[in-house]
Amino acid sequence: MNAEIIAVGSELLLGQIANTNAQFLSQQLAELGINVYFHTVVGDNATRLEAAVKAAQKRANLIIFTGGLGPTKDDLTKETIAHLLQRELVMDQEALRSIEEYFKRTKRTMTENNKKQALVLQGAEVLKNDYGMAPGMALTIASITYMLLPGPPKEMRPMFIQYGRPFLMSKLERHERIESRVLRFFGIGESQLETEIADLIDQQSNPTIAPLAGDGEVTLRLTAKHESSLEAKKLLDETEAAIARRVGQYVYGYDNDTLFSKLVERLKEQNKTVAAAESLTGGRFTAELTAISGASQIVKGGVVCYTNEIKEQVLSVPASVLATDGAVSEPCAKLLAEHVRSFCKADIGISFTGVAGPDPLEGKPVGTVYVGISISGQETEVHALLLSGDRETIRTRTIKYGCFAILKKLTASL
């Protein structure tokens, strides 16, 4: 099956709500081995919805609709589909009873237009709504399967899992599964990564390899299809191993991992603690770590040393260093990392000092950054960076770089 998901609702186009239904359904369909090639969003307009359906009929044999099954005049999905397919809408008595019982249970008055929600396409398999009023429905006409689901996620998701998914499984001749795995990289750009594995991408068929860049990081999504979930995972393992032989040193995690969640995890594993001295980052590194559950075990504390006075008075950076080398310098970063580690009695001290912009500082251009890392029993390292982007981009990339640098140090010590 090749599927298209059509979300109906002007509120989606206005940006008032996010289309999370399409994301959920794509994930569910992937598990069934059903390809999703198009997502469409259309407003509450019969003419435009008809055009969207006609386009989908030319490129998909499964069309799933979400939204537009409610009681109001702008809920017109099933009426539009009925007109296109030349099918009557008939009253589903079980759905009607369920709606009437809902109003009795909530002691509310049922208006006449609520009966509209119990109308279904003639001949369709009715999908029960256990968490709302409007039922869903599914039917196949001329080799195309149409499935209509309610818009509210709390109704749509359980309906699809309980009733929609089994309906589709009954239609599949082969029960292939699609397994995906996301590899997360830092310290390598998208273009360099693609260059390193260009031949693997060119040769891809099963699994497929899809690069994606964003926010200073790069990801590769590997997708394998097989009737056996174990065999699909084996294909992913083989492809991942081939990629790791080329660029494995830049991989920090999988799927929903973040640099900060991995750092918390690794510090817990090694029973180590960290403290941060933050100048240009203004506490963002510490904030990212402490946002993760369990961070209290590994974060000892931090100092936002935004001014030279705090660098000197709290973290004991000599005035001579600040006068001679400057706050944005390797010597300053080194001392900040060492002194915050000592001050907070942590195993690891990290410092961030630099120029986030918009103007140069101490004669140094925007994007000049120094990250110091002091680990008990090891020589302190200072990483000199020259980052591009606006103020927020530089600050974000700075803390991510520091996070990745500690991760590499911890991995090297294993």
Side-chain angles (χ1 to χ4, degrees):
M1 277 187 174
N2 296 327
E4 178 160 346
I5 298 168
I6 299 179
V8 183
S10 297
E11 66 276 11
L12 294 165
L13 295 174
L14 292 170
Q16 294 171 342
I17 62 171
N19 187 14
T20 58
N21 285 343
Q23 180 186 29
F24 169 82
L25 288 170
S26 287
Q27 292 168 344
Q28 290 290 317
L29 295 174
E31 291 182 7
L32 296 175
I34 297 173
N35 304 307
V36 178
Y37 290 142
F38 294 93
H39 284 182
T40 297
V41 179
V42 62
D44 301 308
N45 179 282
T47 302
R48 289 192 284 273
L49 178 55
E50 278 196 23
V53 177
K54 288 176 180 177
Q57 288 172 329
K58 297 175 182 177
R59 58 197 184 195
N61 51 14
L62 169 62
I63 308 174
I64 299 181
F65 303 84
T66 62
L69 303 184
T72 61
K73 289 183 178 180
D74 62 352
D75 291 309
L76 42 74
T77 300
K78 57 190 170 188
E79 289 82 357
T80 303
I81 306 305
H83 173 72
L84 272 173
L85 301 181
Q86 297 183 337
R87 286 284 173 121
E88 290 186 15
L89 289 170
V90 296
M91 189 67 67
D92 183 78
Q93 294 302 320
E94 183 179 348
L96 181 59
R97 281 193 298 272
S98 177
I99 293 169
E100 290 171 341
E101 287 170 4
Y102 171 81
F103 278 96
K104 287 179 184 177
R105 190 167 60 251
T106 57
K107 296 180 180 180
R108 293 165 55 194
T109 301
M110 178 176 167
T111 56
E112 189 66 23
N113 62 348
N114 277 288
K115 292 183 179 180
K116 172 189 172 185
Q117 295 182 95
L119 291 172
V120 298
L121 293 165
Q122 188 176 39
E125 179 166 327
V126 178
L127 310 178
K128 188 179 177 183
N129 191 336
D130 295 322
Y131 295 87
M133 289 186 280
M137 62 206 81
L139 76 164
T140 301
I141 298 177
S143 301
I144 299 178
T145 297
Y146 302 83
M147 181 174 288
L148 284 66
L149 302 171
K154 67 182 180 64
E155 299 177 27
M156 187 279 292
R157 295 185 180 199
M159 179 187 291
F160 182 82
I161 291 171
Q162 189 68 26
Y163 307 109
R165 185 179 170 118
F167 175 86
L168 292 177
M169 289 181 69
S170 71
K171 295 288 184 181
L172 293 171
E173 295 179 6
R174 297 177 63 200
H175 293 280
E176 284 188 318
R177 289 183 62 87
I178 295 177
E179 296 285 344
S180 291
R181 180 180 304 167
V182 175
L183 308 184
R184 297 195 168 275
F185 299 78
F186 189 83
I188 185 171
E190 183 182 19
S191 58
Q192 183 186 348
L193 178 61
E194 287 196 36
T195 299
E196 295 289 342
I197 62 170
D199 57 317
L200 299 178
I201 295 175
D202 292 340
Q203 295 165 13
Q204 65 177 318
S205 56
N206 188 24
T208 58
I209 305 171
L212 178 66
D215 213 8
E217 301 184 30
V218 185
T219 61
L220 288 179
R221 178 177 292 278
L222 314 182
T223 305
K225 184 184 290 189
H226 201 282
E227 291 181 30
S228 164
S229 178
L230 288 176
E231 288 299 317
K233 288 176 180 176
K234 182 180 176 182
L235 290 170
L236 293 177
D237 290 340
E238 292 170 352
T239 302
E240 180 186 342
I243 292 169
R245 285 192 289 270
R246 314 274 186 91
V247 288
Q249 69 270 33
Y250 300 106
V251 177
Y252 75 80
Y254 298 90
D255 299 322
N256 294 320
D257 287 338
T258 68
L259 282 162
F260 299 96
S261 69
K262 290 303 292 184
L263 180 56
V264 170
E265 179 185 312
R266 189 62 51 81
L267 288 167
K268 284 181 179 179
E269 290 171 355
Q270 298 190 22
N271 195 30
K272 293 186 184 299
T273 57
V274 66
E278 303 193 56
S279 184
L280 84 153
T281 52
R284 290 184 63 177
F285 178 82
T286 307
E288 288 286 351
L289 288 183
T290 54
I292 297 167
S293 177
S296 59
Q297 298 175 41
I298 57 93
V299 177
K300 290 300 289 283
V303 177
V304 178
C305 47
Y306 211 63
T307 65
N308 283 358
E309 288 80 5
I310 300 301
K311 293 178 178 71
E312 181 180 350
Q313 295 171 15
V314 179
L315 291 176
S316 304
V317 177
S320 59
V321 170
L322 295 171
T324 305
D325 298 288
V328 182
S329 67
E330 182 176 331
C332 183
K334 179 177 183 294
L335 291 170
L336 287 172
E338 292 172 347
H339 293 178
V340 80
R341 178 173 66 82
S342 175
F343 181 73
C344 294
K345 297 180 173 58
D347 299 304
I348 302 168
I350 185 168
S351 67
F352 304 96
T353 183
V355 188
D359 301 314
L361 181 66
E362 298 180 346
K364 299 178 178 72
V366 172
T368 302
V369 171
Y370 294 93
V371 178
I373 298 176
S374 173
I375 299 179
S376 180
Q378 299 182 28
E379 186 175 346
T380 301
E381 293 182 0
V382 176
H383 301 253
L385 312 174
L386 186 57
L387 303 176
S388 60
D390 61 20
R391 182 178 176 82
E392 286 307 299
T393 300
I394 290 170
R395 282 153 55 93
T396 298
R397 289 179 176 175
T398 297
I399 60 173
K400 285 187 174 184
Y401 184 92
C403 201
F404 186 63
I406 296 178
L407 277 172
K408 287 204 297 183
K409 295 283 287 183
L410 294 175
T411 302
S413 65
L414 292 177

